[in-house]
Every structure is written in C-alpha cells, then in structure tokens.
Amino acid sequence: EAGVVQSPRYKIIEKKQPVAFWCNPISGHNTLYWYLQNLGQGPELLIRYENEEAVDDSQLPKDRFSAERLKGVDSTLKIQPAELGDSAVYLCASSFGGAGNTGELFFGEGSRLTVL
Amino acid sequence: LAKTTQPISMDSYEGQEVNITCSHNNIATNDYITWYQQFPSQGPRFIIQGYKTKVTNEVASLFIPADRKSSTLSLPRVSLSDTAVYYCLVGIYNQGGKLIFGQGTELSVKP
C-alpha cells in the first residue's frame, strides 16, 4: 500500500516568490495534517483537516500561508510571498479516524524548502 | 496537553540495549504515551504506544510505572540503523494529531 506522497521533495526559491506543496494521503484516511519542521526541532502542526474541513488552523500564519483540501483527498499548502524564515521541511501526515483509530499518524517524506 | 521532557541526545554502541526515559509529570488520566522515530530526511514513524505497565512489539518495549509520570522506551540490541531522533508524546488515545512533538532525543549508535 502506498504511503503518504509529497512533492516536490526539494524546492529552492528566492524570497518573495510563491511556492506550493502537494500531498496525497493514504487512501481512506480522512484526517490530513500539515506540519512544519525546523532543523533540530520536532514537527509543529500548521493545519489539520477532517475530510475537506480545516478543523484546526490556529497555528497557520494566514497572512502568507494558505491550504486547501478539495474533495477531501489531496491537499496543497501554499506560501506567498516566501520569507527567509520559511526555510524548513514541510511534512504532510494522514490518519484514519474511523473505528479502531489509535491516533497513529503516517507521515510523508517531507518537502524541504530553501528560501534565498 | 502534558509536557514531556527527554534527553536531547544519547550515544550507544551496536548490540547494546538502549533505554530512553521521558518525564511527563502532569499526564492526565485519559492520556496515552506514544513514541515516534525519525530518520534524517524522512517523516516521523510510529513505534509504540501504551497506557500502563509494559507494552512490547517487534521493534521496542515501553515501560510505564504505576504513577505514569515517566516512561522508558527500550530498544534491544541496537544497530547502526537505529540512529535516529526519538520523540515521546502524551495525549488522548485516538487524537494523535493533537499531540505536541518536543525536541526529541537524538540517538547515535556507533560501531
């Protein structure tokens, strides 16, 4: 079974440019998460979706970050404009919310962003 | 959410048993303890989860004392491939997405 797929794996952009990351969760997982991970730190939640609804976006910097999960499957995270401090790894995760849910998160490999 | 404290780094040698202890003094009655492992350039991966006493799977064991204010992840006979960062998280059983990742413990296994 395929895991969580993210693209691109690496992205280098100039500051003030836009960037977008894409995530395809595990089939059947209704909950999708975007995390940000700085070097040497643990992942920090940016936004959580239950199906197509963003149920927790309190940590998402809404002035420059946006996310969408159309049809409750794939999701896109966008930054516009990017700043130097946005250089980090952006992780997508999904989980199964039905009966037997243990809360286990399945993470993708991440998208590493470098802003110059 | 319960705050967790774990060592920032640990060193070990191949073949040794490694025990990583996590302190969570304000754990709530409904909270479970979950450990994730993260290799460089990969996302974290679920290792083990428990509520009390001992849990064992094919990868690790988790020891939780009666007061549940701490827990110990035990990795038997580590190999070089166990070099990774290990995160201890505490929270409600089926609400993994609400768990807060700390800084984790960077385990370095040497030959």
Side-chain angles (χ1 to χ4, degrees), chain B residues 13-91:
Chain B
Y13 291 93
E14 282 191 292
Q16 289 186 332
E17 177 184 78
V18 171
N19 296 308
I20 305 175
T21 296
C22 178
S23 152
H24 27 81
N25 292 318
N26 59 339
I27 188 169
T29 303
N30 294 331
D31 285 345
Y32 278 67
I33 299 151
T34 309
W35 286 79
Y36 279 80
Q37 173 192 55
Q38 185 175 27
F39 296 113
S41 300
Q42 293 187 25
R45 182 174 71 106
F46 177 96
I47 303 177
I48 197 166
Q49 182 180 68
Y51 183 79
K52 62 180 179 181
T53 63
K54 177 183 175 183
V55 179
T56 297
N57 62 22
E58 64 278 5
V59 177
S61 294
L62 178 59
F63 297 92
I64 305 169
D67 67 5
R68 307 198 327 120
K69 293 184 183 300
S70 67
S71 59
T72 298
L73 175 73
S74 181
L75 304 172
R77 295 184 300 281
V78 294
S79 64
L80 297 177
S81 63
D82 292 315
T83 293
V85 177
Y86 293 83
Y87 295 97
C88 162
L89 303 98
V90 173

Side-chain angles (χ1 to χ4, degrees), chain B residues 2-17:
Chain B
K3 177 181 169 59
T4 60
T5 303
Q6 36 179 142
I8 292 177
S9 64
M10 292 182 68
D11 289 332
S12 181
Y13 291 93
E14 282 191 292
Q16 289 186 332
E17 177 184 78

Side-chain angles (χ1 to χ4, degrees), chain A residues 35-101:
Chain A
Y35 285 84
L36 175 154
Q37 186 170 28
N38 287 304
L39 188 63
Q41 303 295 318
E44 301 169 38
L45 180 68
L46 288 173
I47 189 168
R48 176 169 63 97
Y49 282 92
E50 296 286 348
N51 300 305
E52 63 274 7
E53 181 183 359
V55 296
D56 183 357
D57 63 356
S58 57
Q59 301 303 312
L60 189 72
K62 299 181 183 63
D63 56 337
R64 297 182 301 106
F65 286 65
S66 64
E68 61 182 10
R69 191 184 184 196
L70 299 176
K71 301 181 181 179
V73 181
D74 294 359
S75 177
T76 303
L77 177 70
K78 297 178 181 178
I79 308 174
Q80 183 172 11
E83 297 180 350
L84 295 176
D86 296 331
S87 294
V89 176
Y90 292 84
L91 292 162
C92 178
S94 68
S95 66
F96 174 65
N101 170 31

